[in-house]
Amino acid sequence: MAGTAPAAAATWSNWAGNQHSVATAVLRPSSIVEVAEQIRSAAETGERIRPVGSGHSFTSVAVGDGRRMDLTRLAIDVRVDVDQRLVTVPAGMTLRGLNALLASHQLALPNLGDIDAQTVAGAISTGTHGTGAAYGGLATFVEALTLVTGTGEVLHCSTEEHPEVFDAARISLGALGVLVEVTLRCVDAFVLRAHKRPAALDSVLAELPGLVDRHDHVEFFWFPYTDRVQLKVNDRVAADDRPLPRWRGWLDDDFLANTVFAGACRLGRAVPALAPGISAFSARALSERVYTGRSDTVFCSPRRVRFLEMEYALPRAALPDALDALRRIIDGLPFKVLFPVEVRFTAADQIWLSHSYGRDSAYVAVHQYVGMPYEPYFRAFEEVATGLGGRPHWGKLHWRDAASLAPAYPRWPDFQT
């Protein structure tokens, strides 16, 4: 079959190493026509197809025992309309590749998360987001998309063409078909001024409403067993007049945040009693810094220390209660937590399965180093988050089922229909 990889390529695992599958065939189509043919072929034989991106989801969203579809060879003409600030790209392009493409045309995405290895399709389909009270997730930047359905039909969707499919397909977990082409609304390229500083958790929570309102992008990392956080504030500025020296970027983002932190995590895994001390050290090792840079280079950071993650979107007013409960959960666990807790913010949107559908959200992400116990920790926080009206990030671990999720999403029945 054209565009089918050898059987040796059938074994797959995700970035975190907690999800694995063996496909009956690996499909690598080079055109939309070929995607449609391969879907129809699978339907005729009763097999399923699962499209797979970069493997940066922690859930089993990309796991399947049928045919696996890899879109990296898909030939889609890249189209950039600088005047309209629109870009059309193949769904299998990575965010890193997209950011470079946009920069070459003096354009940028309005917001990004801190990892750029995901494919465009994978990022939008699982609700990937950054932080910023005035900004939605990446799926809110989608102006149009092309979807090949489970019957092999090719649908071009936007607010004018198949609008209900468009509202469902922007965040669809690959369940509605294979995304092959995406058109994104961009903005003119911009510079960010980043300010990172250590702070006390209680003081940050006390001033948080003002921080979130005054600044473009606010997030913080709380270090368990301490009262300390690392606060990160990014704002748009006119000039890149304070670039980060290369040595300082290497020291903070490469050496301390990856090499040293990985060693500390390995030590904490070997001797769990050291975890509180390691957390306190980590909280104070990253000092204050201010710098400017091209937006995507400030938003995105290297992440080489492997971990598992759960993230919940909560009504913004529920954040203090969630963090209070989380502190009690961590203190009561029979094992130690080696990773900080991340808190971010997004604006409401109207995408049916968006975590921020109909409400401004605060996101709380809990992590654990690979090889350490995590399920009791994650499940305990999930119980709290569910009680507070939380919605789990589709690409991150959770144990919610359809009966539990349906009340959390007003358009759940519409998506299923």
Side-chain angles (χ1 to χ4, degrees):
M1 180 187 297
T4 302
T11 300
W12 173 90
S13 65
N14 66 340
W15 174 84
N18 67 312
Q19 302 290 346
H20 307 269
S21 69
V22 179
T24 58
V26 180
L27 310 176
R28 292 198 170 111
S30 59
S31 67
I32 294 176
V33 170
E34 197 172 344
V35 171
E37 289 174 349
Q38 291 174 344
I39 288 175
R40 285 192 291 268
S41 172
E44 289 168 2
T45 59
E47 280 208 79
R48 293 176 181 268
I49 286 179
R50 202 67 187 144
V52 175
S54 300
H56 269 266
S57 289
F58 299 89
T59 67
S60 58
V61 65
V63 172
D65 57 4
R67 302 177 186 181
R68 183 165 67 247
M69 183 171 283
D70 178 343
L71 298 177
T72 54
R73 295 181 183 173
L74 190 61
I76 299 287
D77 289 335
V78 172
R79 303 186 294 279
V80 180
D81 186 330
V82 174
D83 292 336
Q84 296 296 317
R85 299 175 181 81
L86 295 173
V87 59
T88 301
V89 296
M93 176 181 280
T94 64
L95 294 179
R96 186 178 298 123
L98 174 63
N99 291 334
L101 170 70
L102 294 177
S104 71
H105 292 276
Q106 296 299 304
L107 295 171
L109 290 180
N111 199 8
L112 286 164
D114 61 0
I115 296 175
D116 59 5
Q118 308 99 316
T119 62
V120 171
I124 65 174
S125 294
T126 54
T128 293
H129 62 94
T131 189
Y135 299 89
L138 270 63
T140 64
F141 309 150
V142 177
E143 286 287 307
L145 56 86
T146 301
L147 177 76
V148 184
T149 73
T151 61
E153 180 184 8
V154 179
L155 289 182
H156 302 285
C157 305
S158 65
T159 54
E160 289 80 32
E161 195 172 7
H162 303 293
E164 289 209 328
V165 178
F166 182 64
D167 282 339
R170 280 183 285 173
I171 298 179
S172 60
L173 289 78
L176 301 183
V178 178
L179 284 176
V180 291
E181 182 180 77
V182 179
T183 299
L184 294 151
R185 170 72 61 184
C186 305
V187 295
D188 291 336
F190 60 96
V191 173
L192 284 175
R193 176 185 183 271
H195 184 190
K196 302 181 181 182
R197 63 179 174 90
L201 174 61
D202 289 343
S203 67
V204 168
L205 290 178
E207 62 177 318
L208 198 56
L211 279 171
V212 170
D213 288 342
R214 288 196 310 272
H215 296 283
D216 293 326
H217 310 276
V218 174
E219 68 178 309
F220 64 88
F221 290 84
W222 167 58
F223 294 85
Y225 315 110
T226 80
D227 64 351
R228 307 298 296 173
V229 305
Q230 183 79 4
L231 178 65
K232 299 172 63 176
V233 174
N234 294 333
D235 287 301
R236 285 157 169 73
V237 293
D240 186 5
D241 56 4
R242 194 169 177 173
L244 188 68
R246 183 173 297 180
W247 69 265
R248 183 65 188 271
W250 172 85
L251 177 66
D252 286 354
D253 296 329
D254 197 319
F255 184 66
L256 290 177
N258 283 286
T259 305
V260 172
F261 185 58
C265 286
R266 288 194 295 270
L267 179 61
R269 186 173 60 188
V271 188
L274 297 177
I278 291 171
S279 192
F281 168 79
S282 298
R284 298 184 182 278
L286 297 174
S287 58
E288 183 171 11
R289 62 174 176 165
V290 178
Y291 63 94
T292 58
R294 195 179 81 189
S295 60
D296 61 288
T297 66
V298 174
F299 282 133
C300 303
S301 304
R303 289 287 182 267
R304 291 192 296 277
V305 183
R306 307 281 169 150
F307 56 87
L308 297 175
E309 182 178 0
M310 165 184 280
E311 185 172 37
Y312 259 83
L314 303 164
R316 204 170 287 172
L319 178 61
D321 289 340
L323 291 178
D324 282 344
L326 189 54
R327 281 192 272 194
R328 291 192 297 271
I329 288 169
I330 290 174
D331 287 343
L333 289 172
F335 52 84
K336 299 301 182 183
V337 175
L338 296 176
F339 256 76
V341 173
E342 183 179 21
V343 177
R344 295 182 285 177
F345 305 89
T346 64
D349 63 57
Q350 295 300 311
I351 301 172
W352 291 359
L353 290 192
S354 169
H355 321 115
S356 287
Y357 178 86
R359 72 185 189 201
D360 295 336
S361 296
Y363 280 79
V364 178
V366 295
H367 311 72
Q368 183 65 302
Y369 184 53
V370 291
M372 290 288 289
Y374 67 90
E375 189 169 330
Y377 172 35
F378 288 10
R379 282 186 179 271
F381 180 66
E382 179 163 76
E383 183 176 353
V384 169
T386 301
L388 293 172
R391 298 165 178 160
H393 190 300
W394 295 118
K396 300 177 184 180
L397 290 170
H398 66 90
W399 289 268
R400 302 281 289 275
D401 59 14
S404 166
L405 289 164
Y409 289 93
R411 304 303 295 270
W412 184 269
D414 299 311
F415 184 91
Q416 291 199 319
T417 299

